[in-house]
Amino acid sequence: MKFSNEQIKSLQLPSIDVIEYEKPDIAYRKVLMYSVLIFAFVLLVGYFVVGYFAEKLLTLPILMIVMLTWSILTGLAIIFTVKSYDNLGYALRDKDILSKSGVFFKSIVIVPFNRVQHSEIEQGPIERLFGLAELTLFTAGGDDETISGLSFDKAQMLKNYITAKVAADEEE
Amino acid sequence: MKKNDGEFSVPTRQSYVAIIMILFKTINIVFRQLIPVLVVILLGGSEKFDYILWVISVIALLSMIYAIVNFFRTYFYIQDDELVMHTGVFSHKKTIIPLERIQSVNFEQNIVHQIFDVLKLNIDTAGTEKNEFQFQAIDAQKAKRLREIIMAGKKVSTGIALNTFDENQPNKSAYKEILSLGFTDLLKIGLTENHIRSGGLIFVFFLWIYQNLQEAGLDVDEYSEEIPEWEWGINSIVLIVFVFLMISILISLGRTVIKYFDLQFLRFDNGFKIVSGIFTKKEVSAQDHKIQFISWSDNLLRKIIGYKNLKLHQTKASKANKSQLIQIPGCKAHHIQDVVDTIFDNKDINEIEVERVSFFYFKRFAMIWTGILTIVGLILLWFELYNQMWILTGLVIMMIIGRFLSYRKIAYGHDGQLLVLKGGIFGDKNTILPLYKVQTVKIYETPFLRKKSLCTLILRTASGQITIPYLPSESGRNLGDFILYKIESTHRKWM
C-alpha cells in the first residue's frame, strides 16, 4: 500500500529502514555467553545430583552419550548466543527509540518517547561484573521494551535523555 | 474535602458482612478445585463417606478462620492525600496509593450485598503496576463518601473535572439510551452463540472428567456393561452431536440471560455506560478518552438476524481486571453507526480503502498443518489408531478451511486518522483504532516472511494489541512510519 493520501504525500516520512543501529557493548557478548555456560553447568550438576541417587545414570555408556549431547547443545547455544548478539541493536531518534533483535525471528520495536511512562535501569549479577546495565522502557502498551548490554554510564545517559524528552513533551 | 477527611483518617474496616463474603469466596474457590476429586471419591464407594464429611468440615472451619483473620487484617485510611491499605493474612502488606493516581472507584452489588446494604469496592490505579484493590463489603453510605473524597482529591490535584458516576449525578436525564435489551433479544442472543465452540468445550470437559475417573482407578466401562454393545454408526455420532448442541444451547441461553439481563447501553456527556445483570447489578463506564479502540463482530447465525457484538476497549488499569471491557451484544448496524459517529466525529468508515493480506497467510498455514498431519497421521496409522487419525484429519481440515475463510476476510487500511482492520471466519469482525492511540509499533519477521518480503505488524495499545499479519514488507514499514509520525506529531493524549 502506497500512501497516496494527499495530506501526507508532500511529507517525507522518516523511514525506519535507513537507520544505523548502535551495537550493545562488546562485553555484553561475554555476559550472554556466561549466562549460557552457567545454565549449562547447573544442568550438568543437576544431572550428577540425580545420578547420585540413580546410579544407573552414571554408568559409562550412558554418561558418555549424555556428556556428548551436553557438549553439542552447549556449543550450539553459544553459537546462537553470538549470533543473537550480532543481531541486537538500538537506535535513538529525535522522537523515538528503536530496538531490534532476533536471529531467525527478527523484530524491530519502536517506542515513541511521548508514550513512555517511566524507565528503569537494572543490573543483573553477571552484568554488574562487567559494568553493564539494561534500560527498560514502560509504556501503557503492556510488554515493556528492554535495551540490554549498555555500559552503566550509557544506560544512565540514555535514561536522562529519554526522561528529558518525556518531560519536554509533557510541557507542551 | 478536608472536612470529610476526618472520617477516613482513622483506620476503617470493612462491614462485618465482609466475613460472609470472604467465607463464601474462599469456600467457592476451594470447592471448585476439589470438584473432580469429590466426584471421583463419591463414585468410588460409599464407605469413604465419613471421611469426606470430615474433610469438608475441616475445610469449612479453616475457611471460617481465614475469613475472620482476613477481615481483621484488612483496613484502610486516608493520610496526606494518600490511600493507605493494610492487607494480607499470612504476611502483612501495606499499600500506599496517592489519591491522584486512582483511576476509578467501582461498585458492585450482588443479592447478598443488597440485603445488607453494602457495596463491593474496586479501586483501579493508573500505570503499569498490576495492582487492583478490592474490598468485599463496605457500608454503602461509607463507600459512596469514600468515592466522593477520592474523586474530589483527584479534582484538586489534577485540575481536570472528572466525570463521576451516576450516584453523584442526581438527574438521570444526563443519560441518553442507545440500546436496551428485552427478553426476546436475550433469547435471540443466547440462541445465536457460537455453539460449535461451546459444544466443543463441553465435550472436552466430559472427556476430562472421564479421564480423571479412569486415572482414579475407576473402570468407567464397567458401569456401562449393561448397555448393549454400542454401534458406532453414523446415527450415534449424529445423536452425540445433537445432545452436545442442545446442552450447549441451554448453557449459553442461561449464561446470556444471567449476564445481560436488563442490559442498558447509555450515553452520557463524554462517555458510555452499561448496566446489566440479574443477581448482580453491574455497572461499567467508559469515558471517550479512555477508549482505545472499538470492535464489533458477528457469526453466521447472528449475521442472519443482523445482530452484532460491540466491544469498547478501554485502558486497562491492570491485567487482572478484565471487567473494564464494555461488551454489548445485540447491536444492530445503526447502533454501531451511532457509536462510531459519536466517538469518531461522523467519519464514514466505509470510505476507508482496505487492502488484503498476502495469500501466503493461508498457504503457509495450510502447508505447515498438512505436514504435521502427515507425520502424526503416519505415526497413528503405524499404531493402528484409526479413530484418532480420522478425528485429527477432520480437525486439521476444519482449521485449514477456517484459515482460508479468515484469509478472505482480513483486510486493513487507514485514512490518515483511523485504522480499520477487517477479519472474521464465518462472520465479520471490524476493528477501528485511532492511529494516535498506538503505544508502540513492532515489525516482526520469520525467515519465511523475510524470504517472501512480507512482515507482520503489531500495534500495541493500552488495551491490548492489534496484529496485521502477512502484509508486504514495504507496506508494513510505511504504515509503521506513518503511525509513528502520527503519534509523534500530535500532542493529543492517548488517555
Side-chain angles (χ1 to χ4, degrees):
Chain A
M1 177 173 63
K2 293 281 184 312
F3 288 113
S4 49
N5 196 325
E6 285 303 313
Q7 201 187 339
I8 48 156
K9 203 173 180 179
S10 54
L11 253 166
Q12 285 287 322
L13 286 183
S15 168
I16 46 183
D17 261 352
V18 292
I19 293 289
E20 253 183 64
Y21 288 90
E22 290 179 56
K23 291 209 134 309
D25 201 293
I26 190 76
Y28 187 59
R29 196 158 69 181
K30 281 188 199 150
V31 173
L32 288 172
M33 285 201 297
Y34 278 117
S35 311
V36 170
L37 281 177
I38 288 174
F39 180 71
F41 189 68
V42 168
L43 272 186
L44 197 65
V45 170
Y47 181 81
F48 278 106
V49 170
V50 175
Y52 182 77
F53 296 103
E55 277 167 23
K56 211 179 163 194
L57 290 179
L58 297 184
T59 49
L60 202 58
I62 294 184
L63 193 63
M64 267 175 59
I65 293 170
V66 168
M67 287 306 285
L68 195 70
T69 323
W70 181 83
S71 331
I72 292 173
L73 285 180
T74 309
L76 282 178
I78 286 184
I79 293 171
F80 183 79
T81 306
V82 173
K83 276 266 176 218
S84 82
Y85 170 82
D86 290 343
N87 283 293
L88 282 176
Y90 66 93
L92 271 185
R93 294 199 298 186
D94 190 32
K95 298 203 185 296
D96 50 29
I97 184 163
L98 293 81
S99 135
K100 64 165 189 158
S101 62
V103 178
F104 300 111
F105 302 97
K106 292 188 183 204
S107 67
I108 305 172
V109 177
I110 308 106
V111 184
F113 294 137
N114 57 356
R115 292 290 180 271
V116 174
Q117 289 188 321
H118 69 281
S119 52
E120 259 175 36
I121 295 180
E122 258 186 283
Q123 258 187 324
I126 310 174
E127 284 173 321
R128 191 167 309 137
L129 219 60
F130 290 92
L132 296 182
E134 55 185 36
L135 178 69
T136 305
L137 303 175
F138 294 88
T139 68
D143 278 343
D144 312 310
E145 201 43 45
T146 300
I147 297 156
S148 315
L150 303 164
S151 71
F152 191 81
D153 292 343
K154 193 137 194 192
Q156 199 76 51
M157 235 169 64
L158 268 181
K159 185 174 152 68
N160 290 341
Y161 176 79
I162 291 169
T163 312
K165 284 282 183 190
V166 173
D169 177 70
E170 261 164 22
E171 257 169 42
E172 277 173 54
Chain B
M1 175 196 162
K2 281 286 169 226
K3 261 177 270 165
N4 289 341
D5 256 12
E7 184 184 355
F8 296 106
S9 62
V10 289
T12 310
R13 287 215 169 84
Q14 307 176 78
S15 159
Y16 284 107
V17 184
I19 298 182
I20 304 175
M21 298 295 178
I22 302 165
L23 184 62
F24 182 72
K25 208 177 149 188
T26 321
I27 290 183
N28 196 356
I29 291 170
V30 171
F31 272 87
R32 218 177 286 167
Q33 300 289 325
L34 287 182
I35 283 175
V37 183
L38 286 178
V39 169
V40 167
I41 296 175
L42 280 173
L43 288 174
S46 51
E47 76 266 21
K48 287 179 188 157
F49 197 66
D50 280 357
Y51 173 68
I52 299 171
L53 265 183
W54 269 107
V55 171
I56 290 176
S57 327
V58 170
I59 291 173
L61 189 72
L62 286 180
S63 311
M64 189 79 193
I65 295 171
Y66 177 85
I68 293 172
V69 174
N70 187 322
F71 170 79
F72 281 105
R73 298 201 59 159
T74 305
Y75 55 91
F76 64 91
Y77 50 88
I78 296 177
Q79 196 177 48
D80 302 332
D81 284 339
E82 285 174 338
L83 180 64
V84 184
M85 283 173 293
H86 291 259
T87 49
V89 173
F90 300 109
S91 59
H92 209 106
K93 193 175 161 196
K94 182 179 174 185
T95 316
I96 303 171
I97 313 174
L99 292 188
E100 62 188 51
R101 296 278 298 282
I102 294 174
Q103 287 281 309
S104 64
V105 181
N106 295 321
F107 296 153
E108 227 180 284
Q109 213 177 21
N110 69 23
I111 200 135
V112 185
H113 287 105
Q114 278 165 23
I115 293 170
F116 292 103
D117 194 26
V118 291
L119 293 166
K120 182 171 170 182
L121 200 83
N122 282 310
I123 293 173
D124 285 342
T125 56
T128 40
E129 304 112 288
K130 279 121 206 159
N131 294 337
E132 179 202 313
F133 299 95
Q134 208 175 55
F135 293 107
Q136 290 303 321
I138 289 186
D139 181 67
Q141 298 304 317
K142 220 185 237 179
K144 282 174 190 170
R145 282 197 298 274
L146 179 66
R147 177 152 82 179
E148 265 168 41
I149 289 173
I150 290 173
M151 287 310 176
K154 269 186 82 92
K155 221 178 276 183
V156 171
S157 50
T158 56
I160 300 162
L162 270 145
N163 191 290
T164 40
F165 302 87
D166 71 335
E167 275 95 339
N168 303 332
Q169 287 178 336
N171 61 330
K172 283 267 172 193
S173 60
Y175 290 99
K176 197 185 104 203
E177 184 181 291
I178 299 175
L179 163 84
S180 68
L181 295 179
F183 196 69
T184 40
D185 293 319
L186 288 180
L187 284 184
K188 283 190 206 162
I189 292 164
L191 284 173
T192 54
E193 288 260 315
N194 190 344
H195 295 299
I196 298 174
R197 194 176 54 196
S198 13
L201 282 179
I202 300 164
F203 185 69
V204 170
F205 176 71
F206 274 107
L207 266 185
W208 175 71
I209 288 207
Y210 179 83
Q211 267 176 358
N212 264 326
L213 291 175
Q214 275 193 330
E215 273 166 29
L218 219 73
D219 193 356
V220 185
D221 296 328
E222 195 185 309
Y223 288 85
S224 46
E225 238 174 67
E226 294 96 64
I227 304 171
E229 197 57 35
W230 192 253
E231 283 287 337
W232 278 91
I234 202 83
N235 283 339
S236 52
I237 289 176
V238 168
L239 185 74
I240 287 178
V241 168
F242 181 74
V243 167
F244 275 108
L245 268 181
M246 284 320 282
I247 297 174
S248 141
I249 288 172
L250 283 177
I251 288 179
S252 35
L253 255 184
R255 221 188 47 192
T256 310
V257 171
I258 290 171
K259 198 167 163 197
Y260 299 118
F261 189 78
D262 196 22
L263 181 135
Q264 286 173 293
F265 181 36
L266 307 165
R267 171 79 193 163
F268 57 88
D269 56 357
N270 63 348
F272 297 92
K273 172 168 159 166
I274 44 168
V275 186
S276 68
I278 187 163
F279 300 120
T280 312
K281 272 270 165 241
K282 221 180 137 189
E283 270 185 42
V284 188
S285 307
Q287 285 158 280
D288 291 348
H289 64 92
K290 283 179 95 184
I291 297 172
Q292 302 297 306
F293 61 96
I294 70 169
S295 64
W296 63 91
S297 57
D298 54 17
N299 58 31
L300 200 57
L301 292 172
R302 288 202 179 141
K303 212 171 179 169
I304 298 168
I305 54 170
Y307 272 9
K308 294 169 201 330
N309 192 6
L310 175 69
K311 287 180 183 171
L312 307 179
H313 303 258
Q314 63 169 327
T315 322
K316 268 186 265 183
S318 67
K319 274 185 186 149
N321 190 357
K322 290 206 182 85
S323 63
Q324 291 298 318
L325 174 78
I326 292 200
Q327 187 168 192
I328 310 107
C331 280
K332 298 260 179 190
H334 68 92
H335 294 130
I336 307 259
Q337 194 57 48
D338 248 18
V339 173
V340 170
D341 286 349
T342 313
I343 306 181
F344 304 122
D345 303 331
N346 298 310
K347 275 249 164 111
D348 194 350
I349 302 301
N350 297 322
E351 273 184 11
I352 298 175
E353 274 178 48
V354 290
E355 305 230 349
R356 301 258 303 268
V357 297
S358 157
F359 181 65
F360 286 110
Y361 174 73
F362 163 69
K363 196 175 163 190
R364 180 72 173 165
F365 182 89
M367 275 164 66
I368 287 177
W369 279 98
T370 312
I372 292 176
L373 177 66
T374 318
I375 294 166
V376 180
L378 282 176
I379 295 173
L380 289 175
L381 270 184
W382 179 263
F383 289 104
E384 299 186 344
L385 297 164
Y386 299 112
N387 278 342
Q388 280 84 342
M389 199 203 73
W390 286 122
I391 293 175
L392 182 76
T393 311
L395 279 177
V396 170
I397 289 175
M398 264 166 63
M399 275 164 57
I400 291 178
I401 292 175
R403 184 77 166 196
F404 181 71
L405 294 172
S406 140
Y407 156 72
R408 306 238 327 197
K409 292 266 170 70
I410 296 185
Y412 64 96
H414 73 92
D415 68 345
Q417 307 290 332
L418 302 175
L419 177 92
V420 176
L421 179 64
K422 292 174 184 291
I425 297 175
F426 293 108
D428 287 294
K429 187 175 176 183
N430 286 278
T431 306
I432 299 180
L433 165 77
L435 296 177
Y436 75 95
K437 296 270 186 183
V438 172
Q439 297 284 332
T440 64
V441 176
K442 179 173 176 177
I443 292 167
Y444 177 76
E445 286 168 347
T446 64
F448 176 81
L449 285 176
R450 215 162 27 245
K451 204 171 85 193
K452 303 287 177 195
S453 302
L454 296 171
C455 72
T456 288
L457 188 69
I458 299 165
L459 307 171
R460 293 202 192 109
T461 78
S463 186
Q465 65 181 35
I466 289 175
T467 305
I468 307 174
Y470 285 72
L471 69 166
S473 209
E474 206 195 327
S475 304
R477 275 152 219 270
N478 285 341
L479 185 52
D481 285 337
F482 184 72
I483 290 171
L484 287 168
Y485 155 73
K486 268 296 175 196
I487 299 171
E488 290 160 5
S489 64
T490 54
H491 288 289
R492 268 180 96 173
K493 287 274 170 257
W494 55 273
M495 193 183 90

